[in-house]
Amino acid sequence: MFLSACVGVTSIIVFLVSPTFAVDTTADPQLVAKLKMAATMLDRLDLLSDEQLLYNFSANPMYSWNPGSVCNANAATWPALATTGVTVAQLNLGPCAMLAPHLHRAINLVVAVTGSTHTYMVQENGARLVEQILTPGLMTMFPPASLHSMYNMGCENNQLYSFLNDESPGTLNIAQSFFMMPEEIGMQVMPFINLANGSWNGTAQLIPAIGTGSQDGFEACRKKCGLTGDGS
Ligand SMILES: *[C@@H]1O[C@H](CO)[C@@H](O)[C@H](O)[C@H]1NC(C)=O
Ligand SMILES: *[C@@H]1O[C@H](CO)[C@@H](O)[C@H](O)[C@H]1NC(C)=O
Ligand SMILES: *[C@@H]1O[C@H](CO)[C@@H](O)[C@H](O)[C@H]1NC(C)=O
């Protein structure tokens, strides 16, 4: 009885831990709660030190250039934003690095600081595919819940900033969430999928991890930048 209860608890923990999706962990839930209960912005200022009013993107746990990262300043990572209705994300893309197709429950404005970044956006069913090339000082918009993706076209690091009108805009990656549907549903939508070892769940495990928010780019770009394994 005791043993089976332990096994049950263990398997629940394994189940919860196994999909290694990188999400922001809430740094200070007590401070966020206090900020949300405060009556005025003046009261909130008194809850925050000068130090807590400064955000250092380089210290974000996701910060990485290999292959890249999405560093969110949001209600989870920066309590000061708890009641503001905004998120700012620093996008760091190594050579060819890409953001897999995903969406948010917020408007997303993206501004390029360096390099050239190719973006793709589908607003909704019936909408055309919108493509842009963002170079320094150019901005594009991804409306709430639009599907979007981007990659660094160059062989140098690229940086962009992303602005969202919600302190908790969320990010939903399409490939991982599609494979969380039952196999019967997924295979009826895409009957041509070649399942690895005939396993729906096994195939899902082959989707590049969300990790720090960015993944390696595609072969042609990597080849151009001399990043492929065979060095060609
Ligand atoms: C920002 O964070 C980085 C990484 O932790 C650190 O090296 C740097 O000194 C910080 N900058 C400031 C101004 O604190
Ligand atoms: C696939 O994963 C789902 C969700 O984790 C689970 O309910 C199901 O039993 C798994 N199927 C197989 C065949 O492992
Ligand atoms: C497929 O099966 C082989 C042999 O059992 C195993 O090594 C491999 O990891 C499996 N691949 C997937 C995606 O499950």
Side-chain angles (χ1 to χ4, degrees):
M1 182 66 182
F2 178 69
L3 182 64
S4 69
C6 286
V7 170
V9 168
T10 307
S11 57
I12 288 165
I13 290 166
V14 169
F15 175 74
L16 290 176
V17 166
S18 59
T20 49
F21 296 173
V23 293
D24 295 320
T25 47
T26 302
D28 193 339
Q30 284 81 16
L31 179 55
V32 169
K34 279 185 203 159
L35 290 164
K36 287 194 168 176
M37 283 193 298
T40 67
M41 281 306 280
L42 189 57
D43 293 342
R44 288 186 189 110
L45 184 62
D46 290 340
L47 291 169
L48 295 163
S49 66
D50 287 5
E51 199 179 36
Q52 287 171 316
L53 287 166
L54 191 62
Y55 189 75
N56 182 353
F57 283 103
S58 304
N60 184 291
M62 303 293 172
Y63 187 85
S64 161
W65 288 95
N66 186 19
S69 55
V70 176
C71 299
N72 287 313
N74 57 20
T77 62
W78 194 27
L81 290 182
T83 64
T84 60
V86 294
T87 287
V88 179
Q90 183 187 64
L91 311 182
N92 301 313
L93 299 178
C96 301
M98 58 180 264
L99 303 188
H102 66 277
L103 55 86
H104 314 277
R105 52 178 170 262
I107 302 171
N108 186 358
L109 298 171
V110 179
V111 183
V113 177
T114 60
S116 297
T117 304
H118 199 141
T119 70
Y120 305 84
M121 184 271 285
V122 181
Q123 181 174 297
E124 60 189 275
N125 292 346
R128 69 185 188 279
L129 172 70
V130 177
E131 295 184 50
Q132 305 290 1
I133 293 175
L134 295 183
T135 52
L138 297 189
M139 172 162 70
T140 193
M141 178 179 78
F142 306 131
S146 62
L147 179 65
H148 53 276
S149 182
M150 66 183 74
Y151 80 96
N152 175 0
M153 300 165 74
C155 304
E156 308 289 330
N157 290 343
N158 262 16
Q159 193 166 66
L160 309 94
Y161 282 88
S162 174
F163 304 86
L164 301 110
N165 65 334
D166 193 310
E167 71 275 358
S168 173
T171 299
L172 181 70
N173 278 36
I174 294 305
Q176 278 85 356
S177 44
F178 181 76
F179 272 88
M180 288 177 80
M181 294 290 138
E183 176 175 357
E184 292 78 4
I185 300 284
M187 289 305 286
Q188 196 62 23
V189 175
M190 297 196 196
F192 42 82
I193 294 175
N194 281 316
L195 295 178
N197 291 351
S199 160
W200 179 252
N201 289 359
T203 306
Q205 297 302 314
L206 299 177
I207 299 169
I210 290 171
T212 52
S214 171
Q215 68 170 88
D216 279 334
F218 49 82
E219 193 67 14
C221 182
R222 291 172 58 76
K223 205 164 190 173
K224 180 189 75 181
C225 296
L227 294 170
T228 48
D230 60 8
S232 58

